[in-house]
Amino acid sequence: MLEVADSIELERPQDKLIRRLCSALSGYLDKAQIDDCVRAYEFGARAHSGQFRKSGEAYICHPVAVAISLAEMRMDANCIMAAILHDVIEDTGVDKQELAKTFNPEVSELVDGVTKLTKIDSKSHAETQAENVRKMFLAMGKDLRVIMVKLADRLHNMQTLGAMPAETKRRIARETLDIYAPIANRLGMNSIRHKLESLCFQAMYPRRYAILDNALKKARGNRRKIIDVIESTLKNRISQANMACDVSGREKNLYSIYLKMLQKKVSLNDVFDVYAFRIFCNSVDDCYRVLGIVHNLYKPIPGRFKDYIALPKENGYQSLHTVLIGPYGFPIEIQVRTHEMHRMAESGIAAHWLYKSDDDKKDKFQDRANEWLRDLLEIQQTAGDSLEFFDNLKIDLFPQEVFVFTPKGKIIKMPRGATIIDFAYAVHTDIGNACVSARVDRKLVPLQTRLENGVTVEVITAIWARPNPLWLNYVTTAKARSGIRNYLKNFKQQEAISLGRRLLDKELQAMHLQLDNIDKSRMKSLLEVTGKQTLDELLEDIGLGNRMPFLIAKQLTQNDIHAAIRLEDNEQAHKTPLVIKGTEGMVITLAKCCRPIPGDSIIGFFNPGKGIVVHHHECRNINDVRKKQTSWLDVEWSQDASGEFPAELRLEVLNQRGSLATVASTISELNSNIENVTVIEQDSRICVDLITVSVKDRVHLAKIMRRLKELSIVIKITRVKA
């Protein structure tokens, strides 16, 4: 008897865990596959020999616990082996090649996808974290099981945080809330998400968690009678309709209760007094019939019904949600769904492995997850660095959907708060890059218009259009933000090179030369003197205003290319003006102080790093610039200048009802949009407004001003030039 007791006492924790794992695997894997998993355990135990967790347990206990979580999801043998081995590359001397040779390439790829980058030359923890997440998503794009292992790994880490310092707990919990809980939600894995959120809440705010938890335990006893009455009433009414459904009270997630208290600034009683129930039906038809029954039983609250069966959430979640006024005047939240929908809602993408029936539904989950991953991979390819990708990812992980229609009736899901530009990029990146306006339900609207449920959106594009940097201020989707940044990054460089070539060519033509005819050896010498590797680099510098084109031209033509150029030599420059077409882009910008438009007399000056800034000749701000003979040049508008340009008007109007509406409709009739209105003075009789309108040219502006002068309410109108 003593020997038995000693053997039990001496049994190691890892031995118990591997027995639990084998027991779980025996329910769905064959013996050969289980033997492979045991072999992986033995390999991992040897590799982690001598390593211990903060809790004092042998390190191998952690990966086996992760494997048990995945076994409960009925993941395949390769995934289980990868879970057992997921830390060997990072924490031991084992490399990817050895894993592939000992087991198989699939296992080694999965382990490599989960492994953190341990040798990143980063400036901060944030950059390291961002690079790790970026790598993980690249691996997810190849195999979704990577994220399954990572989520199970993170869940066990959160469950065993007890031995960590408080600051470390908070950091890991914040990272989990920012990345892993939203990913679980995005993949429809609500069971894991709720566990992660609750553990994070406990780690970040232990006192708040304890107080709320105790308060909820006390409140449950007082609520039990009310819950029993409502549950019994629901069951009886459904039974009277000859329907077989299950009804159960739903326990609210502690973290979600805490968030509601914060967001709505209400007490625990106000949140907890909402009674929640789920009704599980056998078919979709039954779900809608039950909805009618409960709406007849208790009065529904207007605007609180959501049909996620007809329009599933982005992560595939399906259910009917409604809020009713209960028998005691308390709100009742009811979710109606089929048993299959409930299993999918809890397991999400894991249902692909967990359930053997309804392959079509599992494939839909898989397709949604893959579509999301494809979008993320497209974003990461255009992101400038890992931190930019990480920012885009966090935007994408917190969607609250609205549903909008294309003109052909296709439904497109967008996050709440998305604009026309977000929609355009969701359709196609090229559509987003070329959009200029849109029609919502056949009415013209500006691009920054936020989308609402059920509207039909038609995007209007133009060949000459390009993304505006200001769009980044109001787009909400990661795809739109990434597309705009990528276009502008490349566009600015190409435009700067093009402008630099035009400026240098203009100066050389004044000297009866052409850039293409300059001797190659001479050009090579010039590049050496300027410290540039290629001609494009030099032209980009000229286009951005970092180098004066006249000085470069002079340097190219003088006998000694290394000799200094005197600034006084610029006296004969700029006889031929640079022609502005209006579509040059960011390297030629129109000054906001005077807002020049086609037809105006204009002047340009170089702003280092930004290119040429164009001012109206009468702008008061150019007096200082004119004194610097080396920094300004003559420019003029092309005869075929195109686009829409902002012009600012100062209006004195009678202060009476409808004045602004009359002005706005008059401007609209003349095919112009109002970009901004500012009231600068106002009394009982007169109102002085600054109105920014978009015009095609000086003639268009003159027509608008002439028509406005004819209005009886307009006392005075002038154009603001500085």
Side-chain angles (χ1 to χ4, degrees):
M1 182 68 71
L2 182 61
E3 290 179 2
V4 173
D6 286 345
S7 65
I8 293 173
E9 187 179 338
L10 293 173
E11 186 177 38
R12 300 176 303 172
Q14 57 264 46
D15 296 331
K16 293 180 182 179
L17 288 170
I18 192 62
R19 279 209 310 274
R20 274 184 59 196
L21 176 62
C22 290
S23 176
L25 294 176
S26 64
Y28 69 99
L29 293 183
D30 59 40
K31 187 177 183 305
Q33 291 174 317
I34 296 173
D35 289 343
D36 284 341
C37 295
V38 172
R39 189 162 58 89
Y41 161 74
E42 292 168 349
F43 183 94
R46 287 194 301 273
H48 289 294
S49 178
Q51 295 178 352
F52 298 90
R53 305 196 87 205
K54 293 275 187 183
S55 60
E57 286 182 325
Y59 193 89
I60 190 62
C61 292
H62 163 64
V64 176
V66 172
I68 290 171
S69 293
L70 293 169
E72 290 169 354
M73 299 182 198
R74 302 177 79 88
M75 299 301 292
D76 63 283
N78 282 338
C79 187
I80 300 297
M81 286 191 281
I84 295 170
L85 301 167
H86 77 267
D87 277 332
V88 295
I89 294 179
E90 182 180 349
D91 295 335
T92 75
V94 178
D95 59 19
K96 182 179 175 182
Q97 289 72 25
E98 186 177 348
L99 280 182
K101 184 178 179 181
T102 308
F103 298 98
N104 60 62
E106 191 174 322
V107 170
S108 68
E109 287 293 338
L110 286 170
V111 173
D112 185 55
V114 180
T115 302
K116 292 177 183 174
L117 299 181
T118 54
K119 297 179 181 179
I120 303 175
D121 183 17
S122 296
K123 297 178 182 177
S124 67
H125 172 76
E127 288 178 335
T128 305
Q129 180 196 50
E131 188 59 39
N132 286 331
V133 172
R134 186 174 189 167
K135 186 200 176 197
M136 183 178 71
F137 273 90
L138 285 171
M140 279 173 62
K142 298 177 183 176
D143 196 326
L144 266 170
R145 288 174 296 179
V146 168
I147 197 59
M148 308 293 290
V149 176
K150 193 62 185 177
L151 287 173
D153 172 45
R154 183 52 61 122
L155 179 60
H156 187 254
N157 281 334
M158 291 302 303
Q159 290 168 337
T160 54
L161 273 183
M164 293 286 185
E167 186 57 37
T168 304
K169 287 182 183 179
R170 283 192 291 270
R171 178 180 60 78
I172 295 173
R174 171 49 57 196
E175 182 180 274
T176 303
L177 273 181
D178 283 348
I179 305 169
Y180 297 101
I183 288 174
N185 178 52
R186 199 64 172 71
L187 296 175
M189 302 170 69
N190 286 318
S191 179
I192 286 183
R193 174 173 70 96
H194 289 146
K195 289 176 185 176
L196 287 174
E197 288 175 345
S198 181
L199 290 165
C200 290
F201 180 32
Q202 187 174 9
M204 292 176 70
Y205 306 109
R207 285 179 58 81
R208 298 181 196 182
Y209 179 90
I211 292 168
L212 271 180
D213 193 40
N214 289 333
L216 290 177
K217 286 175 181 175
K218 290 178 183 177
R220 282 191 190 108
N222 302 329
R223 290 161 50 91
R224 191 67 254 172
K225 183 179 177 181
I226 297 174
I227 291 173
D228 288 343
V229 169
I230 297 172
E231 189 172 321
S232 176
T233 306
L234 287 170
K235 286 179 177 177
N236 289 337
R237 185 59 64 93
I238 292 169
S239 178
Q240 289 171 12
N242 297 319
M243 297 180 66
C245 298
D246 295 328
V247 181
S248 67
R250 180 168 65 89
E251 188 68 31
K252 277 187 170 289
N253 179 271
L254 198 64
Y255 180 67
S256 67
I257 290 174
Y258 173 69
L259 282 185
K260 282 189 177 180
M261 291 172 64
L262 280 183
Q263 292 164 358
K264 297 185 177 181
K265 294 181 173 59
V266 295
S267 68
L268 174 63
N269 288 336
D270 293 327
V271 176
F272 201 57
D273 278 346
V274 178
Y275 295 84
F277 296 86
R278 283 194 179 124
I279 302 175
F280 304 106
C281 306
N282 294 323
S283 68
V284 172
D285 286 347
D286 286 351
C287 291
Y288 287 101
R289 289 177 62 195
V290 165
L291 180 70
I293 290 169
V294 298
H295 278 187
N296 282 325
L297 179 62
Y298 299 122
K299 190 174 182 179
I301 298 176
R304 299 296 299 276
F305 167 67
K306 293 176 182 174
D307 187 346
Y308 293 121
I309 291 180
L311 295 171
K313 286 188 177 182
E314 194 70 31
N315 61 10
Y317 174 87
Q318 288 186 290
S319 187
L320 298 176
H321 289 197
T322 188
V323 182
L324 317 167
I325 298 297
Y328 303 96
F330 295 125
I332 304 173
E333 285 183 2
I334 292 184
Q335 297 175 355
V336 186
R337 60 180 71 159
T338 65
H339 295 284
E340 182 66 24
M341 288 174 188
H342 180 63
R343 290 197 295 268
M344 292 290 183
E346 293 300 299
S347 304
I349 192 65
H352 187 80
W353 292 271
L354 193 53
Y355 305 111
K356 300 300 181 185
S357 59
D358 293 313
D359 287 337
D360 288 344
K361 290 187 177 180
K362 290 188 296 184
D363 288 343
K364 286 179 182 177
F365 267 75
Q366 189 86 358
D367 290 344
R368 286 192 186 98
N370 287 333
E371 183 180 352
W372 176 55
L373 286 171
R374 279 195 299 271
D375 286 343
L376 284 180
L377 292 177
E378 181 182 336
I379 289 166
Q380 80 85 25
Q381 286 168 3
T382 58
D385 54 33
S386 295
L387 285 173
E388 183 181 323
F389 170 69
F390 194 41
D391 288 341
N392 290 335
L393 172 65
K394 286 203 277 190
I395 292 168
D396 206 60
L397 284 175
F398 295 93
Q400 292 179 328
E401 297 92 351
V402 295
F403 298 87
V404 296
F405 296 88
T406 67
K408 293 183 179 179
K410 180 184 177 184
I411 298 175
I412 292 185
K413 297 176 188 177
M414 302 297 299
R416 191 167 298 280
T419 64
I420 299 292
I421 298 170
D422 293 299
F423 174 84
Y425 277 98
V427 174
H428 197 280
T429 303
D430 291 343
I431 300 292
N433 288 340
C435 65
V436 291
S437 185
R439 291 187 179 90
V440 172
D441 292 338
R442 299 184 180 181
K443 294 179 181 177
L444 277 172
V445 295
L447 291 174
Q448 59 265 43
T449 302
R450 296 193 181 278
L451 299 171
E452 296 180 0
N453 261 321
V455 297
T456 299
V457 183
E458 178 188 355
V459 179
I460 301 169
T461 61
I463 297 174
W464 50 265
R466 60 180 56 88
N468 188 324
L470 294 176
W471 290 359
L472 292 169
N473 294 332
Y474 45 80
V475 295
T476 61
T477 60
K479 187 171 184 180
R481 190 175 299 276
S482 177
I484 294 165
R485 282 176 173 167
N486 185 53
Y487 186 94
L488 294 178
K489 183 168 56 183
N490 295 327
F491 175 74
K492 182 175 181 179
Q493 182 183 33
Q494 293 303 316
E495 284 295 315
I497 292 170
S498 176
L499 176 61
R501 182 176 290 276
R502 288 172 60 196
L503 290 169
L504 186 56
D505 258 333
K506 184 175 76 71
E507 300 297 346
L508 289 171
Q509 284 171 11
M511 303 172 184
H512 308 291
L513 294 170
Q514 287 186 338
L515 181 60
D516 293 336
N517 295 335
I518 298 294
D519 184 70
K520 289 183 179 179
S521 61
R522 194 160 189 78
M523 183 61 72
K524 185 177 179 181
S525 299
L526 177 66
L527 293 176
E528 290 174 359
V529 171
T530 56
K532 299 298 175 184
Q533 298 294 320
T534 65
L535 176 59
D536 279 353
E537 285 184 22
L538 178 60
L539 295 176
E540 183 182 355
D541 237 17
I542 295 171
L544 291 174
N546 297 329
R547 294 180 185 273
M548 294 298 298
F550 171 76
L551 300 181
I552 297 297
K554 190 74 174 173
Q555 204 163 8
L556 269 173
T557 55
Q558 66 185 14
N559 292 330
D560 184 1
I561 205 165
H562 296 273
I565 304 294
R566 291 177 301 160
L567 298 183
E568 293 79 1
D569 289 343
N570 198 20
E571 292 174 0
Q572 300 301 318
H574 313 304
K575 288 186 177 179
T576 306
L578 180 72
V579 175
I580 306 292
K581 296 180 180 179
T583 57
E584 280 78 6
M586 294 186 298
V587 290
I588 295 182
T589 55
L590 304 179
K592 292 182 179 179
C593 52
C594 53
R595 298 190 184 278
I597 60 176
D600 286 339
S601 178
I602 52 177
I603 187 171
F605 75 91
F606 290 99
N607 188 341
K610 294 183 179 179
I612 296 173
V613 181
V614 178
H615 285 260
H616 194 290
H617 249 296
E618 298 176 10
C619 178
R620 290 195 295 267
N621 293 337
I622 65 169
N623 290 334
D624 293 336
V625 178
R626 279 184 170 276
K627 296 175 184 177
K628 301 175 183 177
Q629 296 294 317
T630 58
S631 65
W632 67 272
L633 73 162
D634 284 326
V635 292
E636 65 179 27
W637 290 104
S638 168
Q639 294 294 326
D640 57 350
S642 61
E644 291 191 349
F645 305 86
E648 198 165 44
L649 299 176
R650 185 180 187 275
L651 266 74
E652 293 183 21
V653 297
L654 294 176
N655 190 7
Q656 61 187 43
R657 185 175 297 175
S659 292
L660 187 57
T662 303
V663 169
S665 62
T666 302
I667 292 172
S668 179
E669 288 171 5
L670 292 168
N671 297 320
S672 176
N673 285 326
I674 295 178
E675 295 185 3
N676 188 48
V677 177
T678 305
V679 178
I680 55 174
E681 292 180 37
Q682 190 173 18
D683 58 29
S684 59
R685 194 176 71 86
I686 296 175
C687 180
V688 181
D689 300 328
L690 280 180
I691 300 180
T692 305
V693 296
S694 59
V695 297
K696 295 177 181 177
D697 51 31
R698 193 178 172 91
V699 175
H700 188 195
L701 179 62
K703 286 181 182 178
I704 294 172
M705 294 178 68
R706 190 161 53 248
R707 182 72 66 84
L708 290 175
K709 282 180 183 177
E710 295 171 358
L711 298 176
S712 59
I713 58 170
V714 176
I715 300 169
K716 185 178 180 182
I717 181 171
T718 54
R719 180 184 173 191
V720 179
K721 296 179 183 176

